[in-house]
Amino acid sequence: GENVEQHPSTLSVQEGDSAVIKCTYSDSASNYFPWYKQELGKRPQLIIDIRSNVGEKKDQRIAVTLNKTAKHFSLHITETQPEDSAVYFCAASSTGTASKLTFGTGTRLQVTL
Amino acid sequence: DTEVTQTPKHLVMGMTNKKSLKCEQHMGHRAMYWYKQKAKKPPELMFVYSYEKLSINESVPSRFSPECPNSSLLNLHLHALQPEDSALYLCASSPVGVPGNTIYFGEGSWLTVV
């Protein structure tokens, strides 16, 4: 089955700095890579996703890159703000009848003033 | 409307009780999911229903029994649970056969087994 590794487990940045979270996956059949943000006591919320036919996707301060050859994908947050503080999960799945998402272990991002 | 609704939000049950978690979506999604999330851990897939049929069971103990009465509803029946089953139970839904199959999560049901 799929295995997703995520690093770092914790990340502390100053407000305005950039944050980068990296994930690797094992199953070459995986073709969909979402990122979820989970605030304390809340549900995971999709913030950005990328499909295997695209190398990079950007949405305002958030960008995701995908290297299919190396089986790496990364989340980049620029100009971080205190409200970016949360746990971020990467995930991978292959699309079919229904998605079977495998999550990374999570990164706790702390944005300090 | 990207809304998945779960009830109850909080549930405390004894080890001999029978209870159910309920989930509803009106996005026309034909895949629905149950995930379990323990503190400081990622969500773990439990069950997947596709077109109202169980398509994936991740070797979940039989004390958890899923049910999909129709394309909008998903239940999780609970019986003889253990304290270690205390967790956040997340329902989710997604389209089927759409490249990407974005999964939308409900708010979750916080379960405490005493």
Side-chain angles (χ1 to χ4, degrees):
Chain A
E2 176 64 277
N3 182 51
V4 178
E5 295 189 359
Q6 182 172 348
H7 299 281
S9 56
T10 60
L11 180 59
S12 182
V13 300
Q14 285 200 318
E15 184 179 7
D17 287 350
S18 295
V20 180
I21 302 170
K22 298 183 179 182
C23 290
T24 60
Y25 62 99
S26 61
D27 188 351
S28 57
S30 290
N31 56 11
Y32 175 61
F33 307 92
W35 286 87
Y36 287 86
K37 174 185 180 181
Q38 188 172 28
E39 297 176 23
L40 192 63
K42 300 288 184 64
R43 76 178 101 184
Q45 290 206 294
L46 180 73
I47 56 171
I48 196 166
D49 56 14
I50 192 166
R51 293 161 179 81
S52 59
N53 59 346
V54 175
E56 183 173 0
K57 183 177 178 180
K58 189 173 181 181
D59 182 3
Q60 298 182 3
R61 296 186 297 109
I62 294 173
V64 58
T65 58
L66 171 64
N67 182 329
K68 282 185 60 182
T69 303
K71 295 181 188 167
H72 288 171
F73 58 113
S74 300
L75 178 72
H76 304 252
I77 306 174
T78 59
E79 300 172 23
T80 53
Q81 300 167 4
E83 52 265 37
D84 294 329
S85 297
V87 178
Y88 291 81
F89 291 102
C90 64
S93 83
S94 56
T95 57
T97 305
S99 285
K100 183 176 175 180
L101 275 181
T102 300
F103 284 87
T105 49
T107 296
R108 181 170 298 279
L109 174 64
Q110 181 73 40
V111 180
T112 57
L113 296 172
Chain B
D1 182 15
T2 54
E3 194 65 32
V4 177
T5 304
Q6 290 186 242
T7 56
K9 288 191 173 12
H10 297 273
L11 177 63
V12 179
M13 61 184 290
M15 290 187 285
T16 58
N17 291 162
K18 284 185 180 181
K19 296 286 185 183
S20 297
L21 305 180
K22 298 184 182 299
C23 176
E24 187 170 9
Q25 57 89 13
H26 293 290
M27 294 180 278
H29 293 166
R30 300 304 296 274
M32 296 188 75
Y33 311 77
W34 281 114
Y35 281 83
K36 172 183 177 180
Q37 187 176 25
K38 301 281 275 184
K40 300 185 179 180
K41 297 289 187 182
E44 292 178 31
L45 183 64
M46 300 174 71
F47 303 103
V48 181
Y49 274 82
S50 179
Y51 295 105
E52 296 87 69
K53 292 193 188 316
L54 184 65
S55 62
I56 297 175
N57 175 342
E58 292 287 272
S59 303
V60 179
S62 60
R63 58 186 184 268
F64 295 92
S65 175
E67 178 195 20
C68 190
N70 61 51
S71 61
S72 300
L73 295 174
L74 184 66
N75 299 322
L76 186 63
H77 302 298
L78 314 170
H79 174 55
L81 295 192
Q82 303 296 311
E84 58 265 28
D85 296 321
S86 299
L88 176 65
Y89 288 84
L90 293 159
C91 175
S93 70
S94 76
V96 171
V98 174
N101 287 1
T102 300
I103 291 181
Y104 299 92
F105 285 92
E107 296 276 6
S109 293
W110 292 91
L111 174 67
T112 302
V113 181
V114 297

